[in-house]
Amino acid sequence: ASQSDGMIITEADFEALLAFKHALQDPHDVLKSWNQSAAGACSGAWAGVKCAQGQVIALQLPRKGLGGQIADEVGQLFALRKLNLHTNYLEGQIPPSLAGLQNLRGLYLFGNRLSGSLPDNFMSSPLLQAIDVSNNRLGGTIPSQLATSLRLYRVSLSFNNFTGSIP
């Protein structure tokens, strides 16, 4: 099935994807289709990218051997509904900018080497339904918003180094 919606990607989303790629190590050339041409990004030609009306709605690159960090610019993909980067070698922190993604429904970052704490407003997306950050090196406390998130039905924080109580 084609992931094309017949539209050219917005300049902002194009720049955000290029920044995302730049922050990664890609030893298996998974992102070789991500070239300097904006025309391909929403045409289905770019691996792991799905668009609607020229905006990225899903970024799915699980089990691709990717290293490096998740660029803060991912938080500029304002239409993003699903971020799936599980089972890679990603390091560093979860970008605080993800808290601003009001359309985010699913966040799957399990099985990486992410560290630091969960950003304060991490679970503030009103549509967030599933979050799995298990099997990382995360620490600090679990954000209190976890208890008040209305749509959240799946949460997995296991196999990390969290401290304190569960909200």
Side-chain angles (χ1 to χ4, degrees), residues 16-33:
L17 287 178
L18 290 182
F20 172 76
K21 178 182 178 180
H22 185 72
L24 295 175
Q25 295 154 5
D26 182 16
H28 305 296
D29 265 349
V30 173
L31 303 178
K32 67 176 178 265
S33 59

Side-chain angles (χ1 to χ4, degrees), residues 3-68:
Q3 296 182 357
S4 172
D5 67 356
M7 298 196 62
I8 303 286
I9 191 168
T10 63
E11 183 67 25
D13 279 20
F14 180 63
E15 295 295 330
L17 287 178
L18 290 182
F20 172 76
K21 178 182 178 180
H22 185 72
L24 295 175
Q25 295 154 5
D26 182 16
H28 305 296
D29 265 349
V30 173
L31 303 178
K32 67 176 178 265
S33 59
W34 292 32
N35 55 32
Q36 297 298 318
S37 167
C42 282
S43 71
W46 281 28
V49 176
K50 185 175 182 184
C51 298
Q53 281 121 32
Q55 291 186 291
V56 178
I57 60 167
L59 194 49
Q60 302 188 91
L61 295 162
R63 294 187 201 95
K64 303 295 184 199
L66 299 171

